[in-house]
Amino acid sequence: MPKEYLRRISDQIVASQRPIKVLRAVNWGPAVHARFFKHHARELPRPEYPALGFEPEAKVRELKTVRRQIRGRNPVEELLRRRCDEFILIVQMLAARGTKRFYELSRRVYGDPRDRFPDHDVDNLAIARLWASRPRARDEEQSYTAEKAARLITELCNPLLGGHVRVGVRRRLTANAAAGATRVTLRKGARFSERQVRALAHHEGLWHVLTSMNGYRQPILPVLGVGLPRCYESQEGGGIVAEYLTGQITDERFIELGERTIAIDMAARGADFLEVYRYLLARFPPEKAALMSERVFRGGVVEGGAPFTKDAAYQRGYCRTFNFLRAALEQRDTELVRAFLSGKMSVDDAELVRDLIEEGLCVGPVFLPEWFIDIDRLNAIVTHSVTMNRFSLPSVSRYYAKRRKRKEIQGELVWRHRDASDSEERPDVAGADEGDLGE
């Protein structure tokens, strides 16, 4: 394949997608929430969406024209072809805002709350319910305004990103933060704890922005700056992994992510905005419950049955990205991880990108996240993970439950196991029957 041909196709995809701003097109303005609370949170909100900034049919034709120029069937060209198809779906999804077709296309782009993992027989909703059931974290003082948080994020990110990242504050955001190619934006009026600010720095700046910057610096395939097909789950999940690996996450974060996916599933099964809001109101303050409900219904149908499914990608993305990292590092394959950091991609595309680096069609990452720079600490985390895989947590829990039961029966603490010579039963050592089964 001529490099000039690949670069031309890649540049055309980057240029064609530039006006397609998904979150900007579906987010609600502050006035929607003001009216909602003015009516005592008893009436369905009536969002109004801004103009898309492009004509959908013309944009679809433009992307199809680019797609027809991709002549071959090799893995690189298939990736580029699928990326064109994905952008076409996104354009069609945005053109269908406020209808059930929006939800149908959202599921094709971002997945569904009940999707099963391709590498394990686990479904996304089960992980979301697990996260939502975890113990609440202690309240941390939210002493940082959005403006103060922006300054700290800049201080944390710029040394690792060559001083290129910009951090600003904007009113029209549903999330507390969002990231572009070189910019992190915080929601005006939001408040943060110091841990939350540091988590945002690693998630938004040192993951989303970092992978964009590495991707746009590709000499042949700068399309890696906007992402290869289905990069969303690895982008969102990878951001949560970055929070975990740098010690900036609490169970409160996992709880919120789990509840978001549960709320999407509720809406998909027919719950309207008010029902989802009341469900979340039992778990979060009113303003947060309303903003979380907006994340579920933005772009979709507030009467229920057609949510926006983007937030359902977090559990799948987190589990798959963490497992990808520990599998690669267990095989001493740090070059595979470096390839994964070279742009925005699914974990399934990392091996192809590594091959392309070896062939000279891609280059390794210019910028590295903090958690990868300290490779010894990262390897220690993987060692801990693979060690704990040797033990079945249900078996360990049963072991301690038996000890508690014997204590209740005997009225005293049991300090040691039963002597094996006094019984034909096997000693109830933790994991004795299931030592290598894992979870």
Side-chain angles (χ1 to χ4, degrees):
M1 292 177 294
K3 294 181 179 179
E4 297 79 8
Y5 154 70
L6 290 177
R7 175 67 194 233
R8 185 180 76 251
I9 297 297
S10 182
D11 285 344
Q12 288 179 341
I13 294 174
V14 171
S16 293
Q17 64 79 40
R18 192 163 285 125
I20 304 171
K21 308 293 185 183
V22 175
L23 299 184
R24 188 176 299 174
V26 300
N27 283 348
W28 300 353
V32 177
H33 289 280
R35 287 194 301 269
F36 179 69
F37 286 113
K38 182 179 179 180
H39 292 94
H40 309 290
R42 294 173 183 169
E43 297 181 8
L44 290 174
R46 299 297 176 191
E48 296 179 1
Y49 296 108
L52 291 176
F54 59 89
E55 202 286 309
E57 292 185 3
K59 182 58 65 178
V60 169
R61 287 196 298 271
E62 179 184 340
L63 287 162
K64 286 183 175 179
T65 298
V66 176
R67 189 186 192 280
R68 284 195 293 270
Q69 297 177 50
I70 304 172
R71 302 185 296 265
R73 291 288 177 182
N74 61 71
V76 181
E77 289 170 304
E78 288 290 0
L79 279 178
L80 296 175
R81 189 177 286 109
R82 293 205 308 274
R83 195 55 172 133
C84 288
D85 292 339
E86 198 168 67
F87 277 127
I88 289 170
L89 282 176
I90 291 172
V91 170
Q92 294 170 337
M93 179 187 76
L94 295 180
R97 290 175 299 179
T99 72
K100 290 197 172 183
R101 178 164 169 74
F102 175 89
Y103 164 60
E104 295 165 3
L105 293 167
S106 174
R107 291 176 67 195
R108 292 174 63 183
V109 175
Y110 300 108
D112 184 85
R114 301 191 176 217
D115 282 348
R116 303 193 76 80
F117 293 8
D119 55 1
H120 215 83
D121 188 25
V122 176
D123 73 86
N124 204 61
L125 187 60
I127 301 297
R129 288 171 173 157
L130 171 67
W131 287 6
S133 69
R134 301 303 299 163
R136 304 302 293 252
R138 292 174 294 177
D139 289 336
E140 296 181 327
E141 183 183 1
Q142 295 186 320
S143 58
Y144 282 73
T145 64
E147 291 76 12
K148 184 180 177 182
R151 291 193 291 273
L152 178 54
I153 291 172
T154 301
E155 293 172 7
L156 293 170
C157 291
N158 269 330
L160 293 171
L161 296 177
H164 298 300
V165 69
R166 295 173 295 160
V167 187
V169 177
R170 184 167 172 260
R171 185 174 296 279
R172 192 185 174 92
L173 278 183
T174 298
N176 281 337
T182 59
R183 185 178 182 86
V184 175
T185 305
L186 305 182
R187 182 170 61 84
K188 188 174 182 61
R191 297 192 68 86
F192 309 90
S193 69
E194 182 176 348
R195 191 203 301 265
Q196 288 172 328
V197 177
R198 293 180 179 277
L200 287 173
H202 288 285
H203 185 126
E204 307 292 346
L206 297 174
W207 181 247
H208 290 323
V209 173
L210 179 145
T211 48
S212 285
M213 291 174 63
N214 282 336
Y216 280 124
R217 280 165 171 72
Q218 293 294 329
I220 309 299
L221 295 172
V223 70
L224 280 166
V226 297
L228 297 178
R230 291 302 293 267
C231 70
Y232 305 105
E233 69 174 40
S234 295
Q235 271 296 298
E236 299 302 346
I240 306 301
V241 169
E243 294 178 40
Y244 166 73
L245 292 177
T246 55
Q248 304 303 330
I249 201 165
T250 69
D251 259 348
E252 199 64 30
R253 176 71 158 142
F254 284 117
I255 289 168
E256 179 180 341
L257 294 170
E259 294 289 12
R260 286 186 201 170
T261 297
I262 292 169
I264 291 171
D265 189 63
M266 288 175 61
R269 294 161 65 188
D272 66 17
F273 183 94
L274 292 176
E275 291 172 296
V276 169
Y277 169 73
R278 289 164 187 154
Y279 168 80
L280 294 173
L281 185 61
R283 293 153 175 81
F284 301 97
E287 183 182 359
K288 188 174 186 68
L291 288 170
M292 290 174 67
S293 299
E294 177 187 340
R295 295 181 70 105
V296 173
F297 288 92
R298 53 185 173 170
V301 179
V302 294
E303 290 81 8
F308 184 37
T309 63
K310 178 177 178 289
D311 279 359
Y314 282 84
Q315 287 79 36
R316 191 171 61 249
Y318 174 85
C319 296
R320 296 202 67 212
T321 301
F322 185 78
N323 280 333
F324 162 80
L325 291 175
R326 67 177 188 160
L329 293 172
E330 178 67 2
Q331 297 299 316
R332 315 309 199 258
D333 197 348
T334 57
E335 289 307 307
L336 182 59
V337 181
R338 289 179 62 85
F340 182 58
L341 300 174
S342 300
K344 294 182 182 294
M345 67 194 78
S346 164
V347 292
D348 295 324
D349 298 323
E351 289 197 24
L352 173 60
V353 172
R354 181 179 60 181
D355 292 344
L356 296 178
I357 291 173
E358 292 175 356
E359 294 176 12
L361 290 176
C362 287
V363 297
V366 176
F367 306 107
L368 296 173
E370 181 184 296
W371 54 262
F372 185 71
I373 293 172
D374 190 354
I375 193 68
D376 291 332
R377 179 176 179 275
L378 183 59
N379 276 325
I381 292 172
V382 170
T383 298
H384 168 79
S385 176
V386 297
T387 300
M388 290 301 103
N389 275 356
R390 292 282 184 173
F391 299 89
S392 163
L393 185 56
S395 292
V396 174
S397 297
R398 286 195 297 271
Y399 164 77
Y400 286 106
K402 288 179 181 179
R403 288 179 63 86
R404 286 193 298 272
K405 187 174 181 180
R406 288 203 300 271
K407 178 184 175 183
E408 292 171 1
I409 294 172
Q410 298 174 12
E412 59 182 12
L413 182 63
V414 179
W415 288 99
R416 58 186 180 85
H417 296 300
R418 293 188 304 272
D419 187 84
S421 62
D422 295 336
S423 172
E424 295 181 358
E425 296 179 9
R426 295 174 62 188
D428 52 352
V429 178
D433 297 324
E434 304 171 71
D436 218 12
L437 294 182
E439 285 286 294

